[in-house]
Amino acid sequence: NGRLLEAKEHFQHCITLDPKRAEFHHRLAMTVQRLGGGNGHTDWATVEHCYAQAIDIEPDNVEFLVGMAKHWQLRGQVSTAMKYYKRVRDIEPENLDASREI
């Protein structure tokens, strides 16, 4: 967890230096999600915001869209997750994550 906290601070700092770099938002979302560890302490609002920022910057990035879909899936919002998986399938018809989940 200590390394994840360092990573979170690192990505937050990187975003202040270059807020238009989608990868930083994506990595921060993944780090915040891992920090919660599925034990009820995940800051879901931050995770969602970071994924949304990444997708706003790079709307057709399949990795970011799959991340957002998995975020909603973990939260039990299957219909919202499906929306993102369908976007992935439209962009990349043979994507295994989207195909499996749809």
Side-chain angles (χ1 to χ4, degrees):
N1 246 0
R3 300 298 296 185
L4 287 173
L5 288 172
E6 287 177 36
K8 178 183 174 188
E9 291 172 5
H10 172 76
F11 290 122
Q12 288 171 325
H13 179 69
C14 289
I15 289 169
T16 64
L17 297 174
D18 189 358
K20 294 294 184 185
R21 185 132 178 227
E23 183 70 21
F24 295 154
H25 296 280
H26 172 69
R27 296 291 176 203
L28 180 57
M30 291 182 0
T31 302
V32 170
Q33 193 166 329
R34 284 184 182 159
L35 269 169
N39 60 8
H41 300 296
T42 302
D43 181 356
W44 292 116
T46 297
V47 173
E48 180 183 347
H49 175 75
C50 291
Y51 275 125
Q53 289 290 100
I55 291 167
D56 282 347
I57 296 166
E58 294 183 28
D60 292 334
N61 186 306
V62 169
E63 184 179 7
F64 303 164
L65 292 167
V66 168
M68 182 68 106
K70 288 180 180 180
H71 158 75
W72 286 114
Q73 205 169 5
L74 285 170
R75 296 197 62 198
Q77 300 293 324
V78 177
S79 62
T80 305
M82 196 60 58
K83 177 180 92 170
Y84 286 97
Y85 283 125
K86 287 178 180 177
R87 273 183 69 187
V88 168
R89 187 187 58 196
D90 290 345
I91 295 166
E92 193 176 278
E94 295 182 19
N95 183 282
L96 295 179
D97 285 315
S99 297
R100 178 183 60 247
E101 298 303 328
I102 292 172

